Amino acid sequence: MSSHTVSSHTGSSRTGSQPPSIAIVDANNFYVSCERIFDPRLEGKPVVVLSNNDGCVIARSQEAKTLGIDMAASWQSIAAEAAAKGVIARSSNYELYGDISARCVELLGRFTSSQEVYSIDESFIRLTGSAEQVSGIAREIRVATKKMIGLPVSIGIASSKTLAKLANRGSKSSAALQGVCNLGSYAPAQVTAILASVDASDVWGIGSRTAQKLAGMGIHTAADLRDTDAVQLRRRFGVNQERVVQELRGVDCLPLEEERSDREQIQFSRSFAVPISTVAELEEVLSVYTQRAAARLREQGSLARMMGCTASTSPFRDNHVSHAVSLAFPDPTDDPVQMYRAAITALGPQLQAGQQYVRVGVSLYEFSSRDSHASLDIFGTAPAPFAAGAVLDSIAAKYGQENLGLGRAGLKTNRAWTMRREMVSPRATTHWDELITVAAK
C-alpha cells in the first residue's frame, strides 16, 4: 500500500460567495489502463481489449488508435494484421475492472461529500472553493489515483454536468492542460470560443438525429445551442433539450444523485461499456441490482413499499427502446428474493432479445422503518420466515459480494461457461490464487 496521504476536502474549502463546481473524473482508456496496472510491459505498447467471446474490440490504448485499429472491429478479421503491427490483445476481465472501479470510487469519496457514479470509468463529484482551489484539488486527485491505484484519469470541471463533460474533452485533447480543464478559470469570451468549436452533436444529451434537426434550425455548434431560445426548443423537443440549453449556460439543472431532493430512494443504475442483448444477461443484471439494493435497504434499517425497474438502449441511436415499470409489494419488504422475482415478473416480458441495451436500473422507494412493521404472533403458530437477506449479508461480509447471489447472479461459473476468454489476465485483486508474482532484482 502506498504511503501517499489523501487530505480531506469535504466542504473544508467552501467560500461564502463561490458556488460549488461539478467535476467529472474519467479514467483514460479504462480497460487498457486496468490491464497495465499489473502488467507494466504493456506501457507504451498498442493494446486492445476484446468483448465477450473475444468477438470485437471494445477498448484501445492511444497507441492502438494511432495504428488505425477501429473500435468494434471484429477481432477474427483483424487479428493477423494487428499481430503484424505489434498489437497486444487481452480478453475482457470484468471482475478486475469492476474492482478497480470500486477502488477509484472509494478514493474519490475522500475528496468530496457528493458523488454520482455515472459509469464504470466515470464519476461526477462536487468540489467547493475558488477556481484555483478546485483545480488544485483536481490535480491532487490525479496524483492520488495514479499513485494509489495505478489509474490515469482526466478531469473536467464546470458549473454544470454538461459543461463538465465538454471540459473533460479538453482535458484529454490538450497536453498543456495536464489532464485538468476547469472552465471556471476561463473568461466568458474564451468559454464562448470553446463552445463554438464543438459540434452540437458532441454535446452530452444531443444525439445524431436531434443534431440533424437542430442543423435545420441553424444550430450547428454548442455555442449556437446555448444561445438559442430555450422555450422554443422545449416546445419542439421537450424539457430534456431545454435543460441542455440551460446547462450550457452554466445553470445546474441535473443535480448529483446524492443531492436529489427526492433522496428517499435507493437506486442502482449503470451504463454498460459493452451493450447486452440477451434476456438472460438482463435478468442477471436485475438479479445483481435487486440484491445490492436490498442490502443497502437493510443496512439503513428500512423496508420499501415500491420498486421501479428500467432498461434502455442508447438514446443516441436509431430505434431507441426504453422500458420502465413500477410495482408495489403487498407489504413493505427488504427481502431480495421477493424483489428479484417481482423485477423479473414485471420487466421480463418487456425485454426484447437482440436489442442493444446499454443501461439497466433498479430503484426502491416509499420507505418505512423495519421496526414499525414488527408483527405480533399471538398464538405462536406462524413459522419464522427465512431471512435470505441476512444470510446473504453475512456471507458477503465474510467472503465478498460475488461469492453468492440470487437466480442467475448466483450462477457465478455460468459466466465463464458462456464466454470464450483465451487471453484473459489474472484477477489480481480479488483471487488469492491469481495474485501477481513480483520478482526483486
Side-chain angles (χ1 to χ4, degrees):
M1 178 64 70
S2 168
S3 61
H4 181 79
T5 301
V6 178
S7 57
S8 174
H9 297 275
T10 55
S12 60
S13 58
R14 180 182 292 275
T15 62
S17 59
Q18 187 70 32
S21 301
I22 294 178
I24 183 165
V25 183
D26 182 9
N28 301 338
N29 306 316
F30 178 65
Y31 288 175
V32 172
S33 293
C34 290
E35 297 288 344
R36 285 173 166 170
I37 292 174
F38 297 101
D39 191 351
R41 296 170 299 178
L42 299 179
E43 290 288 349
K45 303 287 181 63
V47 181
V48 298
V49 175
L50 307 178
S51 66
N52 295 352
N53 299 311
D54 294 342
C56 61
V57 175
I58 58 171
R60 305 165 293 167
S61 68
Q62 185 56 52
E63 296 82 2
K65 296 175 185 177
T66 302
L67 289 175
I69 303 299
D70 293 331
M71 193 69 162
S74 167
W75 179 245
Q76 183 177 5
S77 64
I78 68 167
E81 176 189 355
K85 293 181 176 180
V87 176
I88 302 169
R90 288 286 185 268
S91 300
S92 50
N93 188 344
Y94 296 123
E95 190 165 345
L96 173 65
Y97 308 152
D99 185 67
I100 297 299
S101 175
R103 291 168 186 248
C104 189
V105 168
E106 189 278 331
L107 179 60
L108 291 178
R110 306 182 196 182
F111 291 88
T112 181
S113 59
S114 297
Q115 179 177 7
E116 177 183 327
V117 180
Y118 180 65
S119 66
I120 193 171
D121 60 344
E122 293 177 291
S123 283
F124 288 105
I125 60 175
R126 181 77 69 182
L127 298 176
T128 56
S130 66
E132 183 179 354
Q133 289 173 319
V134 167
S135 295
I137 297 171
R139 286 189 287 270
E140 284 188 48
I141 290 173
R142 292 195 76 237
V143 171
T145 54
K146 182 61 176 177
K147 188 170 185 177
M148 301 183 73
I149 301 176
L151 197 65
V153 300
S154 297
I155 303 175
I157 308 166
S159 56
S160 70
K161 282 183 177 179
T162 303
L163 286 176
K165 290 282 281 186
L166 287 177
N168 191 46
R169 289 166 53 93
S171 70
K172 293 182 176 182
S173 61
S174 175
L177 294 176
Q178 298 183 328
V180 175
C181 178
N182 185 354
L183 288 185
S185 300
Y186 292 85
Q190 292 175 302
V191 174
T192 295
I194 292 170
L195 296 182
S197 69
V198 177
D199 289 342
S201 60
D202 291 329
V203 174
W204 187 47
I206 301 295
S208 57
R209 296 179 66 185
T210 300
Q212 291 176 2
K213 296 176 182 177
L214 292 173
M217 301 169 60
I219 301 172
H220 302 281
T221 69
D224 295 335
L225 187 57
R226 180 198 63 182
D227 297 335
T228 195
D229 186 331
V231 176
Q232 177 187 3
L233 208 67
R234 175 173 181 164
R235 288 173 182 157
R236 179 162 181 179
F237 296 102
V239 67
N240 289 335
Q241 303 308 325
E242 181 189 22
R243 288 189 183 128
V244 171
V245 173
Q246 297 295 349
E247 286 257 319
L248 288 173
R249 294 173 180 172
V251 180
D252 185 6
C253 299
L254 303 170
L256 302 189
E257 191 63 42
E258 293 185 359
E259 300 172 341
R260 292 170 59 98
S261 59
D262 58 344
R263 189 54 187 162
E264 280 294 306
Q265 68 172 345
I266 292 173
Q267 183 177 48
F268 280 87
S269 179
R270 184 68 62 86
S271 295
F272 309 124
V274 181
I276 56 179
S277 57
T278 69
V279 173
E281 288 176 308
L282 288 163
E283 290 183 354
E284 182 178 303
V285 174
L286 286 173
S287 177
V288 171
Y289 284 5
T290 51
Q291 182 175 327
R292 292 181 180 176
R296 180 82 60 82
L297 195 66
R298 291 190 297 276
E299 183 180 344
Q300 69 181 41
S302 299
L303 303 176
R305 167 77 69 176
M306 300 289 296
M307 180 171 70
C309 302
T310 60
S312 62
T313 61
S314 172
F316 308 132
R317 297 174 63 99
D318 293 340
N319 302 318
H320 170 57
V321 173
S322 180
H323 312 298
V325 296
S326 295
L327 54 98
F329 299 110
D331 297 296
T333 183
D334 63 3
D335 181 11
V337 176
Q338 184 179 4
M339 292 177 183
Y340 170 59
R341 288 174 175 168
I344 296 301
T345 300
L347 189 61
Q350 297 191 33
L351 301 177
Q352 303 172 19
Q355 289 286 356
Q356 299 291 301
Y357 291 98
V358 298
R359 195 173 188 91
V360 172
V362 170
S363 59
L364 302 175
Y365 47 100
E366 289 196 16
F367 298 155
S368 56
S369 171
R370 183 189 295 119
D371 296 337
S372 67
H373 288 272
S375 57
L376 177 63
D377 181 15
I378 300 176
F379 302 104
T381 56
F386 174 59
V391 172
L392 289 171
D393 291 343
S394 62
I395 294 175
K398 188 172 183 179
Y399 299 105
Q401 271 192 338
E402 300 299 326
N403 284 279
L404 184 66
L406 301 172
R408 294 186 179 276
L411 300 176
K412 184 176 180 181
T413 55
N414 185 54
R415 302 172 195 179
W417 299 340
T418 57
M419 286 196 296
R420 183 179 70 252
R421 300 193 295 174
E422 297 176 351
M423 297 165 283
V424 68
S425 55
R427 296 167 294 181
T429 61
T430 56
H431 288 254
W432 285 107
D433 57 349
E434 296 183 27
L435 290 176
I436 300 298
T437 300
V438 179
K441 292 186 179 180

